[in-house]
Amino acid sequence: MLFNSVTFAVFLPVVFLLYYIVPHKYRWAFLLLASYAFYMNLHVGYGLLLLFTTVLTYALARGLEAAPSAARRRLCLWGGVLPLTGILLVYKTAGPLIGRLNELIAAGRISLQPVTLTILLPAGVSFYFFQSMGYLIDVYRGKIKAERHFGYYALFVSFFPQLLAGPIGRADSLLPQYKKKRPFVYENVTYGLKLMAWGYYKKLVVADVLAVTVNSIYDNAQAYVGLAFLVATVMFAIEIYCDFSGYSDIAVGCARLFGIELMTNFKSPYFAFSIREFWSRWHISLSTWFRDYVYIPLGGSRTARWRHCLNLLLTFLVSGFWHGSSLTYILWGGIHGLLQILETFLYPKKRKDLEIKRRRHWWQLPVTFVLLCFTWIFFRANSIQDARWIISRLFWDIERPMNYLQTGITCLGISPIAAMGMGLSVLFLALYDLASLKCDVIAAFSRQKFFIRWPVYVLLLVVIALFSPKGVATEFIYFQF
């Protein structure tokens, strides 16, 4: 079920109303049923894999805690991590292989009758796999106790606002919230609705509108040169941010309706002054997951310099592979790893207080954004060949500035009014992110007088209704991961 679908527009109010009618001791069961209904609305078979993951990690965590020896504890740990990792590897690698096989069959290079081979990739599978594995590892490390109540644990794995694309939760934060009695709190509900509205603005008004131009250029890369690639790349940087942070805002706001607080997943990432800082602000739940369960077990920064650099590179290569087995994703992750390594030499972290007080220079902000846009080329390009074409022709004919500009504008095919609308939307987004560096914008704005607040709320809803693309609801980009 998509957040931007008519089905969800009916589902959420019904679940919300019934939730506060159901007695507290049965609310976990109601939310669990609602979460499975939400997920199985996409495909009935998805629920079986979700249930398998839940039963496996629940049983192994209980067994791990009761294990009489260290060897038995390790057996329980790897008994959960290896199968889930293996399943994830199958889903990540089988898709591209089957796609290539289909191409060979269609071209007659494999002597089979024309068939269409497919593999069903369950939406959000890696997110709840990571959440379940993180729980199992935390139990193994003694950070938390294994959950005894199967129902609460099942809800932790499947809670519908975060199920499809996070934020990836931690058991020590979420399980106590599911057990706590949560009365109806007006401020929670209004805050959640406002945050959801802002998330829908990001997705429908900014991301989906920019996606039309980005897709037309990147999906037909060989037909374009010059400024069109430059503009489309910047557009994609904004699109993917608004698409994914929009989902996160909707998820966090939706959970707040039920009195559950999920972690913040984005903190104005394009106002970062370095790649390292960017990753402390972008997809925070996944970044911290890789830090805690991949980077630190490899040795982190508490090793020799060469090993620290290798740990960084390996972690980002794994992150790239998590996004997909295509070479474009792996190269994207590798470049980010190399940039992080470069920054360890440029900004040596001798003491934490010195790092915090290190003077920032204004030029670091645009330089970081340019580097990020460059890496997004590999993330968005359909192949390595397309990425090479785009990079080699970003500045094609720039020695003739007027011709470069005119050709780019013609290729983009955006009317002046549409361009102005996109510009205003992005400006509004940038102002919000800039303000959010200092305070919680929604909370601060909620304290303003009635005649200031409500015109803005109404205007936001009108803009979403009028300027979002009409027709079939588009998936969020990170559903494919």
Side-chain angles (χ1 to χ4, degrees), residues 170-312:
R170 302 295 178 94
D172 57 350
S173 171
L174 290 177
L175 280 171
Q177 293 191 67
Y178 296 137
K179 299 175 183 179
K180 183 180 178 181
K181 188 173 183 178
R182 295 176 299 279
F184 178 89
V185 178
Y186 176 79
E187 288 76 14
N188 275 342
V189 174
T190 56
Y191 185 94
L193 291 173
K194 293 167 190 175
L195 188 57
M196 289 180 71
W198 180 241
Y200 280 117
Y201 171 83
K202 287 181 179 179
K203 167 63 176 173
L204 301 176
V205 178
V206 184
D208 284 357
V209 171
L210 294 178
V212 175
T213 302
V214 173
N215 294 343
S216 67
I217 293 174
Y218 266 83
D219 291 343
N220 302 280
Q222 305 296 325
Y224 295 91
V225 293
L227 184 64
F229 285 139
L230 203 62
V231 175
T233 301
V234 174
M235 281 184 168
F236 178 70
I238 299 168
E239 177 203 345
I240 193 170
Y241 168 56
C242 289
D243 192 283
F244 195 22
S245 69
Y247 175 91
S248 296
D249 287 343
I250 297 169
V252 173
C254 183
R256 186 68 73 90
L257 300 181
F258 302 95
I260 304 295
E261 293 192 17
L262 303 179
M263 72 177 296
T264 300
N265 215 16
F266 291 85
K267 293 181 179 178
S268 307
Y270 289 142
F271 283 101
F273 283 78
S274 66
I275 301 297
R276 180 189 299 170
E277 185 181 358
F278 169 80
W279 280 107
S280 71
R281 295 170 177 271
W282 177 278
H283 200 351
I284 299 169
S285 65
L286 182 68
S287 300
T288 53
W289 196 96
F290 277 116
R291 180 198 66 196
D292 294 344
Y293 303 118
V294 177
Y295 174 68
I296 291 177
L298 286 173
S301 60
R302 297 179 181 275
T303 57
R305 175 63 68 89
W306 71 268
R307 181 60 186 273
H308 176 211
C309 293
L310 180 61
N311 293 341
L312 282 170

Side-chain angles (χ1 to χ4, degrees), residues 279 312-321 323 327-340 375 378-379:
W279 280 107
L312 282 170
L313 183 60
L314 289 175
T315 301
F316 277 92
L317 286 173
V318 171
S319 173
F321 183 80
H323 287 85
L327 286 176
T328 53
Y329 291 123
I330 296 171
L331 187 55
W332 170 80
I335 293 172
H336 270 279
L338 292 174
L339 289 173
Q340 290 263 26
T375 64
F378 295 95
F379 192 95

